[in-house]
Amino acid sequence: MKIAIASDHGGFRLKEQIKVYLAEQGYDSHDYGTMSEASVDYPDFALQVAEAVAGGTADLGIICCGTGIGVSIVANKVPGIRAAHCHDTFSARMAREHNDANVLTLGQRVLGPGLALEIVAAFLQGSYAGGRHACRVDKIKAIERKYCVQG
Ligand code: RB5
């Protein structure tokens, strides 16, 4: 499974910890930056992960910023992305099972690293259940088709 990962300066340390965790667990990850705690703009990095996932270069994405909110807003602007901003393992698992989420967003200033890595594990180990959830995800896709202008 290929994982695209990125952060801004506010999520840089957490992104580095997640990168180590992914390598230890045998995941193939690609880091889209940022590469230091120097101030950057989170849309530039969130967009790269969202495009990698939407374009099929990666199966799933993980994006960190200070709160996890800004990168979630950005990722969800990209057609095909269902980004879930999670603070707990139950939500992370449900995001995969019920919502077929393909991007996880996390806040370094909100979560301790131990919990954050457990959330990552729950997200990666979850799988889409389909069934009664499929028509709901289809409705999300229909909304996307209605309002998203490809540019
Ligand atoms: C950067 O200071 C901060 O605004 C950013 O990391 C994020 O929390 C935005 O949502």
Side-chain angles (χ1 to χ4, degrees):
M1 185 186 286
K2 289 190 176 174
I3 315 290
I5 184 165
S7 73
D8 72 351
H9 55 289
F12 171 72
R13 277 180 285 114
L14 180 56
K15 187 254 294 174
E16 293 299 301
Q17 287 163 329
I18 293 171
K19 214 162 71 176
V20 170
Y21 172 80
L22 293 176
E24 284 170 358
Q25 298 298 312
Y27 289 103
D28 178 9
S29 73
H30 184 85
D31 184 355
Y32 287 87
T34 187
M35 298 304 181
S36 78
E37 290 189 276
S39 183
V40 292
D41 298 332
Y42 60 81
D44 299 334
F45 298 90
L47 180 62
Q48 291 186 62
V49 167
E51 288 184 339
V53 174
T57 304
D59 300 299
L60 294 172
I62 301 172
I63 322 172
C64 307
C65 67
T67 60
I69 296 170
V71 292
S72 175
I73 292 170
V74 172
N76 277 313
K77 298 291 181 199
V78 175
I81 295 303
R82 290 175 298 282
H85 177 214
C86 296
H87 292 138
D88 64 273
T89 56
F90 179 76
S91 298
R93 185 162 58 84
M94 286 299 115
R96 293 293 306 286
E97 287 187 19
H98 288 194
N99 312 114
D100 198 17
N102 48 16
V103 170
L104 171 67
T105 71
L106 299 166
Q108 175 185 294
R109 296 171 185 161
V110 182
L111 299 165
L115 176 57
L117 294 182
E118 288 193 8
I119 292 170
V120 167
F123 185 78
L124 296 179
Q125 288 160 18
S127 59
Y128 181 45
R132 71 184 191 279
H133 306 291
C135 67
R136 297 157 188 169
V137 173
D138 285 347
K139 288 186 179 186
I140 295 172
K141 292 176 182 172
I143 294 167
E144 199 172 58
R145 283 194 296 276
K146 183 175 177 185
Y147 287 103
C148 288
V149 178
Q150 296 277 353

